[in-house]
Amino acid sequence: MSGWLAIAGLGPGSDALVTPEVTAALNAATDVVGYIPYVRRVPERAGLTRHETDNREELERARHALEMALSGRRVVIVSSGDPGVFAMAAAVFEAVEAGPEAWRRLDIRVLPGITAMLAASARIGAPLGHDFCAINLSDNLKPWALIERRLRLAVEADFAIALYNPRSKSRPEGFGRALELLREACDPGRVLIFARAVSTPEEALRAVRLAEATPDMADMRTVVLIGSSATRIIPRDGAPFVYTPRAVPE
Amino acid sequence: MSGWLAIAGLGPGSDALVTPEVTAALNAATDVVGYIPYVRRVPERAGLTRHETDNREELERARHALEMALSGRRVVIVSSGDPGVFAMAAAVFEAVEAGPEAWRRLDIRVLPGITAMLAASARIGAPLGHDFCAINLSDNLKPWALIERRLRLAVEADFAIALYNPRSKSRPEGFGRALELLREACDPGRVLIFARAVSTPEEALRAVRLAEATPDMADMRTVVLIGSSATRIIPRDGAPFVYTPRAVPE
């Protein structure tokens, strides 16, 4: 009876971005739990059971993993990116708080990973090189009005902004509304980066000015980075560099 | 003449949090450049020159690295955490933009790492599990008034907030002023996490309520996480879990 639960971040896609800590946990696990494409990133081996679940069943998945850990299994819940950024870690702690006392005594660890916005930022330069924020654009779990309010305040604070989950089949409208809001609040020269499937074979990055941005540039595998008012493009042969300077003059 | 420059994140301290991509770059390098304690994390070996520089010389360090890469060396600039978050990547691109045309043709890559706020968040639960922002509290490169303004707007947006560089010997006052601002704007029960030297032998984490927080709880090796109004503490034997729920009710 020495079960444990690790909630592990697999990073954005490439195995070269998986930390040794996560690899060690996966090697020691008896069970891997998660959304289908993430579980399939973990190679099959004797002694390992892979539990594939649908994306919408986060709390149920968390409870299942906690029950297995309590029964003595060594369980890893896999997330893409970092499990603490719009991923499974919060769902697990929601389940723990609402669940039986025994779950609080479990060995539960969160193993950080490279989150999408930082992988995207690295790939194009340093657009998040100054103060920034991260907003989940999905309104599955919060009112759309709150998203708009946060976006307005983030622009007012002149943060660089990372938008996670900008668009999905069930939410086709939100990102277009976010672009309209940005057009009201920002200069048309504001820099936007559409970073899709970074570090995978399907990777695609493009930097555009706000005036040229359209809703179809984002899909469910895209993270959108919005520069601050100071973010700059360095033109060069091939893909440009984009960065936000460290200094704001007095 | 096939030099290159990688700006690599070593993560918060433990080698188990260094990505294989960064390890491979360090193994291929002829030169490692950076602030003394980060360079010393890279083991000495034949064929590798380690260049240790003072913390204040970021632009000069960037230019030196770019010159070496242009001369055919394989150069890694090391940062702690993620190089794109309040670290060396932005300084390099500032140097590139202001420098000779030849620097723009160099092979320059940013290799992401586990940044301090995500390592700290993972260690205590999931306090950044909902929308959040990151603010550098150092006023070396921006006016203090802008820091206060961003902090006020971040609280108004109800972001969880990560404060980098909360306090140093040369800036003893800022974090105390930030605490005063928080006391004006937030409930005294707001959760703060002081996370020092996460993943190193000197690691120390503590979660307190705003009413109990004092300036001396932070130093230059601390990242401070401020929960949103929804952030919760789960009491248990030993260190509590802290998390921010995924959902905001309508």
Side-chain angles (χ1 to χ4, degrees):
Chain A
M1 290 292 284
S2 56
W4 47 254
L5 173 60
I7 308 127
L10 296 177
S14 164
D15 288 343
L17 296 176
V18 179
T19 67
E21 182 180 69
V22 167
T23 301
L26 290 170
N27 288 340
T30 57
D31 298 84
V32 174
V33 183
Y35 180 42
I36 299 161
Y38 310 146
V39 168
R40 290 190 183 163
R41 283 187 55 196
V42 181
E44 295 189 86
R45 63 171 164 79
L48 181 71
T49 306
R50 301 191 306 174
H51 307 261
E52 300 178 352
T53 60
D54 189 79
N55 205 13
R56 295 295 182 104
E57 299 165 358
E58 294 187 334
L59 267 183
E60 194 181 321
R61 183 192 303 157
R63 288 187 208 106
H64 178 216
L66 287 157
E67 278 163 23
M68 285 196 291
L70 191 62
S71 78
R73 312 284 294 175
R74 301 186 295 276
V75 183
V76 178
I77 296 179
V78 285
S79 280
S80 75
D82 182 285
V85 179
F86 311 128
M88 277 299 295
V92 169
F93 292 107
E94 285 171 37
V96 168
E97 189 175 27
E101 184 69 25
W103 284 358
R104 301 188 183 202
R105 289 192 294 269
L106 279 170
D107 174 5
I108 303 174
R109 287 165 298 147
V110 180
L111 311 183
I114 304 293
T115 185
M117 67 178 167
L118 296 183
S121 174
R123 205 71 184 81
I124 202 156
L128 305 179
H130 196 72
D131 302 332
F132 65 95
C133 67
I135 298 176
N136 187 346
L137 217 65
S138 166
D139 58 355
N140 287 339
L141 293 171
K142 65 186 168 190
W144 177 259
L146 178 62
I147 296 174
E148 287 209 348
R149 179 176 155 72
R150 284 187 175 152
L151 204 46
R152 275 184 214 285
L153 288 165
V155 169
E156 196 180 334
D158 204 16
F159 284 126
I161 303 168
L163 298 181
Y164 280 73
N165 304 311
R167 204 152 179 261
S168 73
K169 281 179 190 159
S170 63
R171 297 176 292 104
E173 302 301 330
F175 180 60
R177 289 160 73 180
L179 278 182
E180 283 168 33
L181 185 158
L182 291 173
R183 285 193 230 281
E184 287 165 24
C186 305
D187 185 273
R190 180 69 62 112
V191 181
L192 272 75
I193 298 152
F194 293 87
R196 183 171 191 277
V198 170
S199 87
T200 77
E202 296 81 43
E203 175 176 301
L205 272 98
R206 90 198 265 188
V208 303
R209 302 288 179 178
L210 177 55
E212 304 140 24
T214 55
D216 63 312
M217 291 179 180
D219 69 5
M220 63 183 291
R221 295 187 70 191
T222 306
V223 64
V224 181
L225 305 182
I226 304 159
S228 78
S229 67
T231 301
R232 301 183 59 77
I233 297 181
I234 306 178
R236 61 201 284 262
D237 293 340
F241 294 127
V242 180
Y243 81 101
T244 305
R246 300 162 303 150
V248 175
E250 294 276 349
Chain B
M1 289 293 282
S2 56
W4 48 255
L5 173 60
I7 308 126
L10 296 177
S14 164
D15 289 343
L17 296 176
V18 179
T19 68
E21 181 179 70
V22 168
T23 301
L26 290 170
N27 288 340
T30 57
D31 298 84
V32 174
V33 183
Y35 179 42
I36 300 161
Y38 311 146
V39 168
R40 293 193 181 160
R41 284 188 53 194
V42 181
E44 294 187 88
R45 62 170 166 79
L48 180 72
T49 307
R50 302 191 305 176
H51 308 261
E52 300 177 354
T53 59
D54 189 78
N55 204 13
R56 296 296 182 101
E57 299 164 359
E58 293 187 335
L59 268 182
E60 193 182 321
R61 183 193 303 159
R63 289 188 207 107
H64 177 216
L66 287 158
E67 277 163 24
M68 285 196 290
L70 190 63
S71 78
R73 312 284 295 176
R74 302 186 295 277
V75 184
V76 179
I77 296 178
V78 286
S79 279
S80 74
D82 182 285
V85 179
F86 312 128
M88 278 300 296
V92 169
F93 293 107
E94 286 172 36
V96 168
E97 188 174 27
E101 184 70 25
W103 285 358
R104 299 187 185 203
R105 291 192 292 271
L106 279 171
D107 174 5
I108 304 175
R109 289 166 297 146
V110 180
L111 310 183
I114 304 294
T115 186
M117 67 178 166
L118 296 183
S121 173
R123 205 71 183 82
I124 203 155
L128 305 179
H130 196 72
D131 301 333
F132 65 95
C133 67
I135 299 176
N136 188 345
L137 216 63
S138 166
D139 59 354
N140 287 339
L141 294 170
K142 65 186 168 190
W144 177 258
L146 178 63
I147 296 174
E148 288 209 347
R149 180 176 153 74
R150 286 188 173 151
L151 204 47
R152 275 184 214 285
L153 288 164
V155 168
E156 196 180 333
D158 205 15
F159 285 127
I161 303 167
L163 297 180
Y164 281 72
N165 303 314
R167 201 151 181 262
S168 74
K169 280 180 191 159
S170 63
R171 298 176 292 100
E173 301 302 328
F175 180 60
R177 289 160 72 180
L179 278 182
E180 283 166 33
L181 186 157
L182 291 172
R183 284 193 232 279
E184 286 164 23
C186 305
D187 185 274
R190 181 67 63 109
V191 181
L192 273 75
I193 298 152
F194 293 87
R196 184 170 190 277
V198 170
S199 86
T200 78
E202 294 82 43
E203 174 177 301
L205 274 96
R206 88 198 267 187
V208 302
R209 302 288 180 176
L210 177 55
E212 303 140 24
T214 55
D216 63 312
M217 290 179 181
D219 68 6
M220 62 182 292
R221 297 188 69 191
T222 306
V223 64
V224 181
L225 306 181
I226 303 159
S228 77
S229 67
T231 301
R232 301 181 59 75
I233 297 181
I234 306 178
R236 61 200 286 261
D237 291 341
F241 294 128
V242 180
Y243 81 101
T244 305
R246 299 163 303 149
V248 175
E250 294 275 352

